[in-house]
Every structure is written in C-alpha cells, then in structure tokens.
Amino acid sequence: MSDDARDEETVTVAHGGGTGRTRDFLEDSVVPRFGGDADGLAVGLDALDDGAVHEVGDRSVVVTTDSHVVSPLSFPGGDIGRLAVSGTVNDLAVMGATEPLSLTCSLVVEEGVSVGLLEDVLDSMQAACEAAGCAVTTGDTKVMGSGDVDGVVINTTGVGVLPQGAHVPDAGLSPGDKLVVSGPVGDHGITLLAEREGFDIEGDLTSDVAPVNDLVAAALDAGTVTAMTDPTRGGLSTALNEMARKADVGALVDETAVPVRDSVAATGELLGIDPFDVANEGTVVFGVDAATADAVVDALRATPLGAEAAVVGEAVTEHTGRVVLDTGFGRRYLSEPEGEQLPRIC
Amino acid sequence: MSDDARDEETVTVAHGGGTGRTRDFLEDSVVPRFGGDADGLAVGLDALDDGAVHEVGDRSVVVTTDSHVVSPLSFPGGDIGRLAVSGTVNDLAVMGATEPLSLTCSLVVEEGVSVGLLEDVLDSMQAACEAAGCAVTTGDTKVMGSGDVDGVVINTTGVGVLPQGAHVPDAGLSPGDKLVVSGPVGDHGITLLAEREGFDIEGDLTSDVAPVNDLVAAALDAGTVTAMTDPTRGGLSTALNEMARKADVGALVDETAVPVRDSVAATGELLGIDPFDVANEGTVVFGVDAATADAVVDALRATPLGAEAAVVGEAVTEHTGRVVLDTGFGRRYLSEPEGEQLPRIC
C-alpha cells in the first residue's frame, strides 16, 4: 500500500471481527514485523493459532492472550469477568494445556465506574478461576479518564506447561478425521445480540461462557485428538474454514447433526443472523482420529458441559480449504461471515 | 466496607496511579480474591512485585503483564509501542529474566484511528523488540467504537524462564546493601508532563523509555544483586519506599548522589513536580551486596544506558520501612507521592 493510501485508511470494526479483515491486517501488518523464527518456537505468530508454543528443555510452554471489550458488561449467563477468565483458559485448553500455570489480569477502568461494579466483576473472575482450577498470579491496573474508555477492558494472558510436543494445533486435521463439536453453537453471540436488541422473547437465551479445560482434558484422555480450536469470533463457520484451510483438507459437515438450541435458532432467524456465524465461549471443535471418535464423544457427554457433544462431519481430500455443508436438501459451501456483525461481543 | 458505601464509591485516577490508593485497592479487592497459594508459586500476587514466579521442574517461569494507556501516544523519546515493549521487557528483567521467552501484544484500537498511525506504533514495537532481542509470539486485536476508547491501548505480557530460584525479588534488601540507580531519574514523567503543558522551553527533554534487559544482565554478571525494581509509576520515591517496607529495613539516600538532568530538575521546579515522584521507563534501582557495589556500578557504566549509574545510598536497620533523604542540609523522610499527579503516563 502506498503511504498516502495507508494514511487515509482507517481502522474499522471489521479489523477486530476475527474473520477475513482481521486476518488480512495480521498477515499484512503484524506477522511480517514479529513473525520471525525464535529459538525453540514451535507455534509462532505466523500460525495465527489460539496461542504460541515455546520449547524449553523437555517441556512446551504455551502462551495466549486476549483483551475483552464486551458490551454490555453483564449479560444472561455471565459477565466480562467470567468471559475474560474463560476465554484465556479456553485458548490454553485448545492448545492442549488444560491445567493453567498462570493467569494474568490487567484492568483498564474508566474513571467514575463504581467500585461495586468492579468488585462484582472480580467476584465473577474469582468464581471462574475456581471452576477452572487456576489462579491469577500477577496483574496491572490502569484508570483512563471518563470517556476515554467505555467501562472496563480486561486483558487476561495465560501460560501453561506441557511435556514437549504435547500441544494440539488447530492445523492438524487429516482426511478421514471426524469433526466433533462439544455442544450447541451460537448461544453466546445470539444471546448478546438479543440482549442488545431486547429480542429475548422467551427469556431463555443464555451465553455458554464457561471454562472448558476439564471438557478438553476428558477428550484428550479418551482418544486421539488431531486438531482443536474454540469457535469464538466468527463462530463455527470461521473455525471450520480455518481448520480446513490450515490443514489443506476439505470439511464435510452435516448441518442437521450440529446442535443448535431451538431458542437460538428462532432468535437467529428473527434477527437474520446465522448461529453458525457468531461467537461461542464454552464450546470446542475437535478433529479426532476416526477410530476414537465415538469414545471422545462418549467422554465429552459425560462432562457437565458436553452433554450434547456430537460428530458433525469429517475431513475429506476434496474441496481443499473449504467447508461443505450438507443441509439435508443439498450441499453448499459454508462461508465465513464477512466483517463483524456484532462488535464488542467478547 | 458496607455494600452501600461500596456502591457509592467510584474509581478515581488514583486507583491506577501505582501508589497508595492503588496498593489499597489491590490489597483490599484483588489479592484476597486471587492471592491464594498455588502449586509451585514462588512469587505470587500478594507479593505485589513486578511479576509472578512459578517453579516448574528445575526452572522458574516468570510472568508479568502491563496495559499501556499513555497520552499522547507519541512523545519525545518514544511512543506507546516502544513503551509497551520496554515496560514488559523491563518488568521481566528486574525479576531476573533478562532473555524474554515470549512477549504477547494485545491491541485495543479505537474505530477511525488511521492504519498509518497503527503501523507506526507497530514499527516502534518491532524496533524495541529488536533492541531487546525478543519476539512477539502471540496476540489479539479488538476494535472499540469511536469514543469508547481513546486511540490505542496496548497490553503486553512477558514470559521468561530462569534456573529455579534465580529470580530477584524487589523485597530482598538487607541492612548494609548499597542502593544503586542505573541512570538519571524523572526523565519520562517530566517529559510527558512538559509535552502536555507545552513547557519544554529548552527542547531537550526526552523520555528514558528503553529496554533495560542488557543493562540488568551486566549488573547480575558483575556482582550480587539482592533486590531490583524499575521505578515506573510513583517514581523513585515509591520504588525505594516499597523496597524498604517489603524488606523491613530503612533506606538512607544521599539526595545529591541521585543523578537528575538539569533540564529535568529545572522543568520539575517550574511545574512543581519532584522528579523523584514521576515514572521512569528505562531506569533500574538495585540493592547490591556492599562488597560488589563498585563492580556493579562499573559494569553498569560500561553499558549504553548506564553511563550515569551511581551508588545513592544504603539499607540500614533504623527507620524500618521508611526512606530517609540526606539533602546535604539535613535529613527528612522521602514520602511516596499521593494519588496520581500525572494520569496516563504509561
């Protein structure tokens, strides 16, 4: 891009949407600056995975970071505190690090926010830490002027340690692997949008936000997991497309096998938003060796968050880098959502 | 505090000032929630040190985090990008981890910021990473609406690995240890304030912002460093008071031995701000075993950033938890600054 064009272009919400525009920004502007080889770097920035993996002696150190800007701060099923802890615990978990070593908590708070609200958020972080069996071990607190920041922004960074080579990338699919989702999709995104629009007619929409490290541990114990990711920004559509693209395989998905709650489907229809396209915050997509797929699904179903786990498709040699959705009436490509329909969702 | 009082109290800039009000908030609201013992936790949240230290096998894993909200985004001597990398590299360094394993970069950007500005910040981060010999290995990008956040907020989190037990706490002073500063104090804070107020009459004020990991490595090689910290928010006054309080010693400081640039002293006088009370971003305070203090100062002076390193005082058994300043005319306690005179300084 010429300097003039560069100076005229401005940052849009799509830069932070987690889909195509975000990927372009990362590949054009971030990876070329920082994506070089470092000693012992097994998964670096250029992998655009859920975190980085560094080899240290006989161990792998996994690092992941997330800044949370959700609005509203509190929503059915959770709040920014639960989201911040779960989001980072989950990014560690889907790299294979199901027992976090360290969680950091960096708060940026707007001047004038009530201390009570802030303590409610901290209570919620504490409860999520207890659920995940992890501890915040260091942090930072900054205050910005009224109007400089909207409420509270929380960055959480997680560190986990594994035996060397035990991490699971999102890029590990091979043809024949089964695709497994751990539970219903779309709950977080549809709940947030309904909350903002006042559309929760039945009143039973709830975010799925929760730490999934125990669920992931159960899957890893039960079978051979070849790839994992959590379908947050951009939803299941984006997660499956990224897994297919990174592994140079196709993904054939049976739409009717993907669990979606009736209330989520109905509200999505009303709002014109596909539940496949929106963020989940307590759901995992696995690639699993076919021979152990049933065992993994059984193990997931025995966990509190995995009761509706299901095989939803498989990796295939055709349609490289694409996701093909079998709708029951025919087949179509499942595309990633463009831009960001729902800013500040996580 | 009663619930009513809690709901009425609001967050003020002093909560983020890094001095007494910040410490009260951390001790009252954060540490009780997260400060529990975790397996292998050698330095936890309750230490309120520059980072956490986790023992893993025969190694210590150091983790530190910082969110940077500086205004203006660019200032004489640096910008938010250089500050973000240096701040976290320096927090790792003063824990003893002078070779960062991983640096994360989490951007929260205001919609409408020019891509050119963002790329300038990323250029600056890249240059600081090269100076520090480290790499950004994972990150996150979020966009908030126009007016929700002021420009750019950057969180950087750092991870370092050391032989077990090789970390240096800020609490390690013993009576008799010499106090050493690595260079002139007050440059960053006075430069920022002068920039905001249009007071840089001579035009030669410059922030000291820089990665100090090589400087710290030189000190560690040259002698026995018992305690280290970087005097950021709250300045040298706060750093010395914290070191004395945490180690249950007094600190006796020769004011005339502390290097302060003439331009910084003069501008501080004009503005009514003591250079001892404001943030530094490329300066370190060491406690050093007396027998090796001269060797450490010599080693520091041989580094590009340490030319004005000096012994400025010593730890004593009297005045426990206090800092006594010998002004040349008499002695007085050096207090920490109250609240925050300069919000959004780092």
Side-chain angles (χ1 to χ4, degrees):
Chain A
M1 188 182 306
S2 73
D3 270 8
D4 281 357
R6 195 195 76 142
D7 287 343
E8 278 169 28
E9 196 197 357
T10 59
V11 172
T12 64
V13 289
H15 282 82
T19 58
R21 189 67 195 85
T22 304
R23 196 166 53 241
D24 289 347
F25 168 68
L26 296 175
E27 289 181 347
D28 294 346
S29 298
V30 179
V31 171
R33 288 180 169 86
F34 304 112
D37 283 337
D39 283 352
L41 189 61
V43 178
L45 197 63
D46 53 350
L48 300 180
D49 204 330
D50 302 288
V53 180
H54 300 260
E55 293 179 355
V56 180
D58 58 356
R59 290 186 165 85
S60 291
V61 178
V62 184
V63 183
T64 184
T65 190
D66 231 328
S67 286
H68 302 271
V69 299
V70 66
S71 173
L73 292 175
S74 181
F75 48 80
D79 66 5
I80 191 172
R82 181 172 173 86
L83 185 69
V85 170
S86 301
T88 292
V89 166
N90 294 355
D91 279 340
L92 284 181
V94 298
M95 297 297 290
T98 56
E99 296 179 14
L101 177 74
S102 172
L103 211 65
T104 70
C105 168
S106 183
L107 303 169
V108 178
V109 189
E110 182 179 15
E111 189 183 5
V113 161
S114 88
V115 171
L117 182 150
L118 192 56
E119 296 208 326
D120 289 344
V121 169
L122 292 169
D123 280 342
S124 178
M125 294 186 75
Q126 181 183 15
C129 279
E130 284 166 6
C134 69
V136 170
T137 63
T138 190
D140 180 46
T141 305
K142 295 279 163 63
V143 175
M144 288 177 85
S146 177
D148 285 338
V149 69
D150 182 16
V152 180
V153 175
I154 304 179
N155 177 279
T156 43
T157 300
V159 181
V161 178
L162 289 174
Q164 190 177 121
H167 65 277
V168 181
D170 58 6
L173 283 182
S174 296
D177 287 351
K178 297 296 182 185
L179 299 167
V180 173
V181 299
S182 66
V185 303
D187 292 13
H188 181 75
I190 295 293
T191 298
L192 265 281
L193 187 57
E195 180 75 5
R196 286 190 206 159
E197 302 288 330
F199 260 49
D200 185 4
I201 293 157
E202 304 287 329
D204 57 357
L205 292 172
T206 307
S207 166
D208 62 341
V209 59
V212 296
N213 51 327
D214 287 347
L215 176 149
V216 169
L220 294 174
D221 280 348
T224 305
V225 174
T226 59
M228 272 193 285
T229 196
D230 56 339
T232 56
R233 283 179 291 176
L236 183 68
S237 307
T238 302
L240 288 171
N241 272 283
E242 288 193 346
M243 292 172 89
R245 192 167 48 237
K246 289 181 179 186
D248 278 327
V249 299
L252 184 59
V253 174
D254 175 2
E255 184 174 22
T256 61
V258 179
V260 179
R261 294 188 201 286
D262 290 344
S263 56
V264 168
T267 309
E269 194 121 335
L270 263 175
L271 295 165
I273 302 277
D274 188 335
F276 282 22
D277 286 351
V278 297
N280 307 276
E281 294 292 342
T283 304
V284 180
V285 184
F286 299 91
V288 184
D289 182 84
T292 62
D294 289 342
V296 167
V297 169
D298 287 346
L300 288 170
R301 287 184 175 170
T303 67
L305 300 174
E308 297 184 54
V311 172
V312 300
E314 66 181 328
V316 294
T317 49
E318 311 84 56
H319 310 291
T320 307
R322 305 293 296 268
V323 181
V324 177
L325 199 64
D326 185 333
T327 63
F329 304 99
R331 291 182 167 192
R332 66 174 176 90
Y333 284 125
L334 178 67
S335 305
E336 298 174 85
E338 301 268 328
E340 182 166 44
Q341 298 146 313
L342 308 177
R344 301 191 58 190
I345 201 159
C346 56
Chain B
M1 189 183 302
S2 73
D3 270 7
D4 280 356
R6 193 195 76 143
D7 287 342
E8 278 169 26
E9 196 195 358
T10 58
V11 172
T12 64
V13 289
H15 282 82
T19 59
R21 188 69 195 86
T22 304
R23 196 166 54 242
D24 291 346
F25 168 68
L26 295 176
E27 288 179 348
D28 294 346
S29 299
V30 179
V31 172
R33 288 180 170 86
F34 304 111
D37 284 338
D39 283 352
L41 189 61
V43 178
L45 197 64
D46 54 349
L48 299 180
D49 205 331
D50 302 288
V53 180
H54 300 260
E55 294 179 354
V56 179
D58 59 354
R59 290 185 163 84
S60 292
V61 178
V62 184
V63 184
T64 184
T65 190
D66 230 328
S67 286
H68 303 270
V69 299
V70 66
S71 174
L73 292 175
S74 182
F75 47 81
D79 66 5
I80 191 172
R82 183 172 172 87
L83 185 68
V85 170
S86 301
T88 293
V89 166
N90 294 354
D91 279 340
L92 283 181
V94 297
M95 297 297 291
T98 56
E99 296 179 15
L101 177 73
S102 173
L103 212 65
T104 71
C105 168
S106 183
L107 303 169
V108 179
V109 187
E110 183 181 15
E111 189 183 4
V113 162
S114 87
V115 170
L117 183 150
L118 192 57
E119 296 209 326
D120 289 345
V121 168
L122 292 169
D123 279 342
S124 178
M125 293 186 76
Q126 181 183 15
C129 279
E130 283 166 7
C134 69
V136 170
T137 63
T138 189
D140 180 46
T141 305
K142 295 279 164 64
V143 175
M144 289 177 84
S146 179
D148 285 337
V149 69
D150 183 16
V152 181
V153 175
I154 305 179
N155 177 280
T156 44
T157 299
V159 181
V161 178
L162 290 173
Q164 191 177 120
H167 65 276
V168 181
D170 58 6
L173 284 182
S174 297
D177 287 351
K178 296 297 183 186
L179 298 167
V180 173
V181 299
S182 64
V185 302
D187 292 12
H188 181 74
I190 295 294
T191 299
L192 265 281
L193 188 57
E195 180 75 5
R196 285 190 207 159
E197 303 287 330
F199 260 50
D200 184 5
I201 294 157
E202 305 286 330
D204 58 358
L205 292 173
T206 307
S207 166
D208 62 341
V209 59
V212 297
N213 52 327
D214 287 347
L215 177 148
V216 169
L220 294 173
D221 279 349
T224 306
V225 174
T226 59
M228 275 193 283
T229 196
D230 56 338
T232 56
R233 283 179 291 176
L236 183 68
S237 307
T238 301
L240 288 170
N241 272 282
E242 287 193 347
M243 291 172 90
R245 191 166 50 237
K246 289 182 178 185
D248 279 327
V249 299
L252 185 59
V253 174
D254 176 1
E255 185 175 23
T256 61
V258 179
V260 180
R261 294 188 201 286
D262 290 343
S263 56
V264 169
T267 308
E269 195 120 337
L270 263 175
L271 295 166
I273 302 278
D274 188 335
F276 283 21
D277 287 351
V278 298
N280 307 277
E281 294 292 343
T283 304
V284 180
V285 184
F286 300 92
V288 184
D289 183 82
T292 62
D294 289 343
V296 166
V297 169
D298 288 346
L300 288 170
R301 286 184 176 170
T303 67
L305 301 174
E308 297 184 55
V311 172
V312 301
E314 65 182 329
V316 295
T317 51
E318 310 85 56
H319 310 290
T320 307
R322 306 292 298 268
V323 181
V324 177
L325 199 65
D326 186 332
T327 64
F329 305 99
R331 289 181 169 196
R332 65 172 177 89
Y333 285 124
L334 178 66
S335 305
E336 298 174 84
E338 302 267 328
E340 181 168 43
Q341 299 148 312
L342 308 177
R344 303 193 56 190
I345 200 159
C346 57

